[in-house]
Amino acid sequence: MDFGLVLQTDPPARLLVERMKRAEAAGFSHGWTFDSCVLWQEPFVIYSQILGQTRHLKVGPMVTNPSTRTWEVTASLFATLNEMFGNRTVCGIGRGDSAMRVAGRRPATLARLGEAMHAIKELAEGRSVEVDGTEMHLPWVRDGALPVWMGAYGPKALALTGRQADGFILQLADPYLTGYMVKAVRAAAAEAGRDPAALTICVAAPAYVTADESPAALAHAREQCRWFGGMVGNHVADLVSRYGEHSDLVPEALTAYIKNRQGYDYSHHGRVDNPDTTFVPDEIVDRFCLIGPPAAQVARLEELRALGVDQFALYAMHDAIEDTIDAYGREVIPRL
């Protein structure tokens, strides 16, 4: 199993670069960031510094979207980094949540997302493609390689992931839901004539390492990670509005917890002090996140690995970022 570190691009950018260097030294293979340029700093500028100061770490957004940059710009950004540093980028992409909604725009349709994924990959790997009616080509690309991993929850998005993407990003670490969604993605890949085993499966969720399982330690860890249930709740609310509260197409294990959700203020997106997460119960934090001592986290990760997960990407938005990186390097990554 590979490990990734996910950070927000808060200033100062140099601190993020230092933490990514620390992660590589601890055994992490990927460095991910949010991509919402109104809320945080522009990630692609920072990627160049991370790549320049690490040897093997791969970087990318978790996740970008088809709308805030034109597709040729996104492709050129990835291709330029790959030319400079040797194909060390991954394009994580989805419909767009915070990046679009904080600017008063709607997320892209799945049809538009599918077109964008195709165009970005083709251009970044040096092939010609039609973009909005115009044939385009980046003539300077040589030997470019850009894996495209799609974030998804709903049945149509999971099907698109299986049909087209190189990898699947699932933003929660619940074993039941992971098994359910990995099965759906791989079934769609097989139906499309692709090799289901060729898709990379990435689970992304907060992890908070505690010294023990005392009630006080676990309570503190839950409060540091509760924001994640609110963030996932945005996507779940979209699914409920589309498919209804009780649909055979979306598991109730995913949708039931948002019944008391009131709304969401994106100015607190991904923050520990987010006031819009009071509806998230402890049970969801425990299911969606990894909290507790290293042995407990290893046990959950072994369960996820048995379900076909290739990478665990660790969200570190809490008061113990560097301690968590170091704990994973000492006690988790070597065992997996």
Side-chain angles (χ1 to χ4, degrees):
M1 178 180 275
D2 288 336
F3 289 84
L5 176 67
V6 190
L7 298 174
Q8 293 165 332
T9 54
D10 287 316
R14 64 179 180 276
L15 178 58
L16 185 149
V17 175
E18 288 302 316
R19 284 170 168 165
M20 289 298 185
K21 291 166 61 178
R22 190 184 194 112
E24 181 180 59
F28 288 78
S29 61
H30 288 68
W32 303 95
T33 74
F34 282 31
D35 178 16
S36 186
C37 299
V38 172
L39 297 175
W40 302 288
Q41 293 179 315
E42 166 58 45
F44 284 90
V45 176
I46 299 172
Y47 295 156
S48 66
Q49 291 293 312
I50 297 170
L51 291 167
Q53 296 184 46
T54 57
R55 296 184 59 192
H56 306 293
L57 200 72
K58 296 181 180 180
V59 303
M62 189 172 280
V63 292
T64 193
N65 67 83
S67 305
T68 52
R69 304 176 188 86
T70 60
W71 302 345
E72 67 272 18
V73 169
T74 300
S76 183
L77 288 166
F78 281 113
T80 300
L81 292 172
N82 284 339
E83 189 279 326
M84 293 174 68
F85 300 106
N87 290 338
R88 289 167 57 197
T89 66
V90 180
C91 177
I93 192 167
R95 294 174 58 231
D97 181 37
S98 63
M100 297 299 292
R101 288 178 164 135
V102 78
R105 305 183 183 112
R106 293 176 61 84
T109 64
L110 287 175
R112 187 71 173 165
L113 175 56
E115 293 171 359
M117 289 195 297
H118 175 70
I120 291 166
K121 183 176 180 67
E122 293 298 292
L123 289 169
E125 295 187 346
R127 294 181 290 275
S128 296
V129 70
E130 187 176 293
V131 177
D132 294 332
T134 299
E135 192 75 14
M136 292 189 183
H137 175 234
L138 303 181
W140 47 269
V141 174
R142 299 287 185 275
D143 301 319
L146 181 65
V148 176
W149 298 3
M150 180 177 156
Y153 293 105
K156 293 181 180 178
L158 295 169
L160 175 60
T161 303
R163 291 195 306 269
Q164 186 173 337
D166 300 307
F168 169 41
I169 296 171
L170 174 59
Q171 292 172 310
L172 53 79
D174 173 73
Y176 170 75
L177 290 171
T178 297
Y180 179 98
M181 295 186 186
V182 169
K183 182 178 179 180
V185 167
R186 287 185 166 159
E191 188 174 342
R194 307 178 72 199
D195 178 5
L199 271 77
T200 300
I201 307 298
C202 174
V203 158
Y208 196 100
V209 179
T210 63
D212 53 40
E213 293 186 297
S214 68
L218 294 180
H220 179 76
R222 289 187 184 108
E223 291 312 309
Q224 291 294 306
C225 298
R226 198 175 303 277
W227 63 266
F228 184 68
M231 187 183 83
V232 173
N234 298 326
H235 303 289
V236 175
D238 282 348
L239 295 177
V240 170
S241 68
R242 187 172 298 115
Y243 298 105
E245 291 186 22
H246 305 288
S247 170
D248 292 338
L249 298 175
V250 183
E252 191 171 354
L254 177 62
T255 60
Y257 85 99
I258 69 159
K259 61 183 178 181
N260 294 321
R261 179 180 181 270
Q262 299 297 315
Y264 195 82
D265 180 353
Y266 279 89
S267 65
H268 300 284
H269 191 59
R271 303 292 188 189
V272 169
D273 60 355
N274 191 328
D276 299 317
T277 59
T278 55
F279 71 94
V280 180
D282 288 352
E283 181 247 345
I284 287 294
V285 180
D286 291 347
R287 281 174 45 204
F288 285 13
C289 307
L290 271 70
I291 62 172
Q297 302 210 13
V298 168
R300 172 76 69 85
L301 290 166
E302 287 177 334
E303 190 174 0
L304 292 172
R305 182 170 61 178
L307 294 169
V309 174
D310 300 297
Q311 180 178 147
F312 175 61
L314 185 163
Y315 281 99
M317 292 92 190
H318 48 54
D319 63 3
I321 295 173
E322 292 173 2
D323 288 346
T324 300
I325 294 169
D326 294 346
Y328 261 66
R330 288 192 312 268
E331 302 182 68
V332 177
I333 294 175
R335 296 176 62 181
L336 288 157

